[in-house]
Amino acid sequence: MTMQPAETIYIDEDTVGCDGGGGALGHPLVYLTLAPRGEIDCPYCGRHYVQTAAGKAAGGGHGH
């Protein structure tokens, strides 16, 4: 049995909430910060989040 590669999700924000897709197959909601590298993996499901160039140029999505 082979594992599927983790899903990569591109976002404009510098923080993301991940629940593993919700429903019965999900996991507890966790908030992940992409700074300073601009990317992070969810410790529960392995989803790989990458901040887009637009999000980095804007300093993240929160106006800080």
Side-chain angles (χ1 to χ4, degrees), residues 2-63:
T2 60
M3 277 186 67
Q4 294 294 323
E7 179 180 12
T8 297
I9 301 171
Y10 296 90
I11 61 170
D12 292 336
E13 307 292 325
D14 58 357
T15 303
V16 63
C18 183
D19 64 2
L25 299 178
H27 59 68
L29 177 63
V30 292
Y31 290 93
L32 308 168
T33 302
L34 283 75
R37 292 182 30 215
E39 61 184 275
I40 195 163
D41 294 329
C42 176
Y44 284 98
C45 66
R47 281 184 172 167
H48 184 69
Y49 291 94
V50 177
Q51 189 176 25
T52 63
K56 288 180 184 177
H62 300 287

